């Protein structure tokens, strides 16, 4: 699949509102500004994405840009429902959208993981596939963000899930989402990274990170898995898949999915 940024019309920027006042920032292509208790979500129709991000950072140098994405529509901030696979649906309540029986309820402010990003969608789809023929009992979600993938794993039937993130705000939100969905027996959310995980223990590792982080930490991943364990890796582009595969010469690639130029890989150690 080809990456075609021109086909995307809206830039979503999730920003921690340090030094940021609603209404004080204006830009010709600003089409909407949403305010939540702890975060702002800005929606632009971008002509030049980089210049908009630069303007934003000049305007609020102390602010943290938490998540950006290009989407074909303005998209809702909350009040949406996303279906990843049969029986795997997340819902962010708001407006007329209320959770139905069996859906995963997700709320995100500061954390990455609204569920819309292609890497999240692709990872969730591969996760559903990984549970089709096997039942991975122990799952490690490295870089859990809002906890979206850990929640999906619990929904699919994983019994013990360790969800780790270095960002304390993500940890707080992931914990809240775990409680909302009643998965506190299955999912343990911790602040940290690889060193939180027991070696040779997990049936499945989820790592939707950046290419840089995967290339830095990736060599350590196989040691966390029991023999025959699997990994779902994402956060890189389709043309970087070969580089990621090269990190794991012992692994058997089972499936690659791609969307909007992003890729996700399911492989077995
Ligand atoms: N898993 C969620 C999803 O699929 O939507 C969030 C993925 S987001 C792209 C990556 C997350 O990894 C962020 O929340 C970030 O704070 C976290 N992260 C980055 N480097 C990390 C590291 N070395 N160890 C643990 N978490 C990390």
């Amino acid at each position: 699949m080809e990456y075609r940024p021109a086909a995307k019309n809206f830039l979503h920027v999730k920003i921690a509102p340090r030094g940021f006042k609603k209404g004080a920032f204006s830009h010709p292509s600003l089409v909407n500004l949403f305010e939540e208790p702890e975060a702002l979500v800005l929606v632009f129709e971008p002509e030049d994405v980089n210049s908009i991000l630069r303007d934003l950072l000049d305007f609020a140098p102390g602010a943290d840009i938490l998540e950006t994405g290009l989407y074909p529509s303005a998209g809702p901030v909350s009040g949406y429902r996303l279906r990843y696979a049969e029986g795997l649906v997340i819902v962010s309540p708001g407006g007329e959208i209320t959770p139905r029986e069996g859906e995963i309820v997700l709320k995100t402010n500061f954390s990455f993981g609204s569920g819309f990003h292609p890497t999240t969608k692709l990872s969730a789809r591969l996760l559903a596939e990984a549970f089709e023929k096997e039942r991975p009992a122990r799952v490690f979600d490295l870089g859990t963000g809002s906890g979206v993938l850990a929640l999906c794993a619990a929904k699919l039937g994983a019994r013990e899930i360790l969800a780790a993130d270095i960002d304390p705000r993500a940890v707080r939100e992931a914990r809240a989402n775990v409680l909302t969905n009643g998965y506190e027996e299955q999912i343990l959310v911790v602040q940290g990274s690889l060193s939180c995980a027991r070696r040779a223990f997990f049936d499945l590792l989820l790592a939707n990170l950046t290419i840089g982080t995967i290339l830095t930490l990736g060599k350590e991943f196989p040691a966390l898995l029991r023999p025959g364990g699997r990994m779902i890796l994402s956060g890189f582009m389709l043309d970087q898949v070969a580089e990621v595969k090269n990190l794991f010469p012992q692994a058997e690639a089972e499936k690659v999915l791609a969307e909007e130029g992003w890729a996700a890989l399911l492989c077995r150690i």
Side-chain angles (χ1 to χ4, degrees), residues 179-252:
L179 283 174
T180 302
N181 289 279
Y183 281 130
E184 57 272 30
E185 292 295 317
Q186 289 92 334
I187 306 175
L188 176 65
V189 184
V190 294
Q191 187 186 347
S193 188
L194 277 183
S195 60
C196 298
R198 203 162 132 191
R199 294 165 81 86
F201 184 75
F202 295 95
D203 303 302
L204 182 63
L205 167 72
L206 302 168
N208 179 12
L209 299 160
T210 60
I211 182 69
T213 312
I214 288 179
L215 293 178
T216 307
L217 303 181
K219 282 226 179 297
E220 312 280 336
F221 292 171
L224 303 174
L225 296 169
R226 60 155 186 80
R230 296 203 275 182
M231 302 192 286
I232 293 172
L233 307 172
S234 192
F236 42 85
M237 311 305 288
L238 193 52
D239 61 9
Q240 294 168 324
V241 171
E243 202 178 350
V244 173
K245 280 185 182 169
N246 284 343
L247 269 183
F248 311 105
Q250 72 278 47
E252 175 204 342

Side-chain angles (χ1 to χ4, degrees), residues 66-67 84 110-117 119-121 123-124 140-150 164-168 170-171 190-194 206-210 213 217 234-235:
L66 305 166
E67 183 175 346
Y84 295 132
F110 277 114
S111 59
F112 186 107
S114 59
F116 274 104
H117 198 271
T119 59
T120 311
K121 291 183 191 165
S123 299
F140 181 30
D141 181 18
L142 178 63
T144 196
S146 63
V148 56
L149 296 177
D165 203 293
I166 49 174
D167 181 347
V171 169
V190 294
Q191 187 186 347
S193 188
L194 277 183
L206 302 168
N208 179 12
L209 299 160
T210 60
T213 312
L217 303 181
S234 192

Side-chain angles (χ1 to χ4, degrees), residues 75-176:
V77 175
S78 62
Y80 59 85
R81 175 175 274 112
L82 286 173
R83 182 185 176 280
Y84 295 132
E86 184 68 38
L88 198 58
V89 176
I90 63 162
V91 61
S92 177
E96 298 189 343
I97 303 289
T98 50
R100 297 183 194 133
E101 180 78 27
E103 292 179 340
I104 296 167
V105 180
L106 193 76
K107 182 148 174 40
T108 61
N109 280 327
F110 277 114
S111 59
F112 186 107
S114 59
F116 274 104
H117 198 271
T119 59
T120 311
K121 291 183 191 165
L122 297 171
S123 299
R125 278 182 221 145
L126 286 178
L127 189 56
E129 289 198 24
F131 275 81
E132 262 170 23
K133 295 199 183 106
E134 297 175 20
R135 178 59 54 101
R138 292 167 171 171
V139 176
F140 181 30
D141 181 18
L142 178 63
T144 196
S146 63
V148 56
L149 296 177
L151 291 162
C152 288
K155 175 73 193 155
L156 289 164
R159 286 203 312 270
E160 287 178 61
I161 301 157
L162 179 65
D165 203 293
I166 49 174
D167 181 347
R169 295 165 302 190
V171 169
R172 202 174 64 220
E173 290 189 8
R175 280 191 185 137

